[in-house]
Amino acid sequence: MTIDNNDLLNSILASLDRIKYIKPEDIPAIDLYMDQVTTFMDNGLRSSVRYPGEDKILTKTMINNYAKNDLLPPPVKKKYSKEHVLLLIFIYYYKGILSIGDIQKLLHPITEHFFQSGDDFNLESVYREAFSMEAAQIEALKADVTQKFKAADGTFQDAPEESRDFLKKFAFICALSFDVYVKKLLIEKLVDELADSPAAEKAEGKRKNKEGDLKEE
């Protein structure tokens, strides 16, 4: 590829270095109204969107839909806790690759066991542990992207010169896309397995008991 394309790779790697997750200590300790939640999420994740001036991180409609689909516990007196925000962050990352049904399967046991559990090991503990791998994952991702870029650089050597640069970039996109496709298949398989786990079954039992109690009331 040309020097310009090498500059493109450097720009991509630099953008990976700028990826940050919202740390639990950055989330306000006080409960928030919906407008405050959407503002906080927008400030924390704005740099991750494709079109910063246009894309919405989170809207009132999204939050209401998450609640209707049992992805998010209802607010208390129209206020959302720190743990609500943690769940919304998980949902934000999952929604680009998983269906609502799969997100339900994945988060329902987490919510039932750890949301406002009152235990030392709670939802914040789960969040911290899950995101503790971030730094190592970024470095591994940078190495993988670089390898795919260099492999794409060796393709289409016999293509017409005026099309060669475009086709090399096309090959790079194909390599990245195949990686995403395979990982998505693996994630879906793991979600299905987790849905049949004892922890998930126990969470489902707790949910049904709660529904029964509400009906009796």
Side-chain angles (χ1 to χ4, degrees):
M1 292 185 179
T2 65
I3 293 177
D4 287 342
N5 284 337
N6 285 323
D7 287 342
L8 173 62
L9 175 61
N10 291 332
S11 176
I12 292 172
L13 297 178
S15 70
L16 294 177
D17 281 329
R18 291 193 295 271
I19 293 176
K20 303 295 180 183
Y21 81 102
I22 296 176
K23 298 177 181 178
E25 54 267 26
D26 294 334
I27 302 173
I30 59 172
D31 294 346
L32 304 174
Y33 286 108
M34 187 180 288
D35 285 342
Q36 294 172 310
V37 172
T38 56
T39 298
F40 173 80
M41 292 285 285
D42 189 78
N43 290 337
L45 297 170
R46 174 56 46 190
S47 62
S48 69
V49 299
R50 184 177 184 180
Y51 302 112
E54 303 173 18
D55 293 345
K56 299 291 185 182
I57 299 294
L58 189 65
T59 65
K60 294 179 181 180
T61 301
M62 290 178 189
I63 293 177
N64 287 330
N65 285 337
Y66 298 153
K68 289 178 182 178
N69 286 284
D70 294 325
L71 298 182
L72 191 71
V76 177
K77 296 181 180 179
K78 298 184 178 181
K79 286 188 174 183
Y80 296 83
S81 68
K82 182 176 184 176
E83 292 191 329
H84 279 106
V85 176
L86 293 174
L87 285 173
L88 286 169
I89 296 170
F90 277 123
I91 293 169
Y92 174 77
Y93 287 118
Y94 292 143
K95 69 178 183 178
I97 54 174
L98 293 176
S99 67
I100 291 294
D102 281 341
I103 299 175
Q104 286 175 330
K105 292 178 186 177
L106 192 56
L107 286 185
H108 182 243
I110 298 294
T111 302
E112 285 294 332
H113 291 300
F114 305 111
F115 182 82
Q116 296 181 350
S117 64
D119 299 329
D120 290 337
F121 192 90
N122 52 25
L123 183 59
E124 182 175 332
S125 305
V126 174
Y127 182 90
R128 285 186 182 277
E129 193 76 17
F131 281 91
S132 66
M133 302 181 291
E134 178 205 15
Q137 289 297 311
I138 291 296
E139 291 306 312
L141 182 59
K142 287 168 64 177
D144 181 66
V145 168
T146 300
Q147 185 275 324
K148 286 180 171 60
F149 184 90
K150 291 180 178 178
D153 188 29
T155 61
F156 294 107
Q157 297 299 323
D158 298 326
E161 184 175 356
E162 65 272 16
S163 300
R164 198 173 301 156
D165 183 62
F166 171 85
L167 291 172
K168 286 175 183 286
K169 289 179 180 176
F170 178 76
F172 184 40
I173 290 171
C174 286
L176 293 172
S177 299
F178 181 71
D179 184 71
V180 173
Y181 168 74
V182 172
K183 287 178 179 177
K184 184 175 185 293
L185 293 179
L186 293 175
I187 291 169
E188 291 171 344
K189 180 177 177 58
L190 286 169
V191 168
D192 289 339
E193 290 185 2
L194 284 177
D196 295 328
S197 69
E201 291 177 357
K202 183 178 179 181
E204 181 64 14
K206 289 175 65 177
R207 184 185 68 81
K208 289 181 177 179
N209 288 336
K210 287 180 182 178
E211 287 182 350
D213 292 340
L214 290 173
K215 287 180 180 179
E216 290 179 3
E217 292 177 0

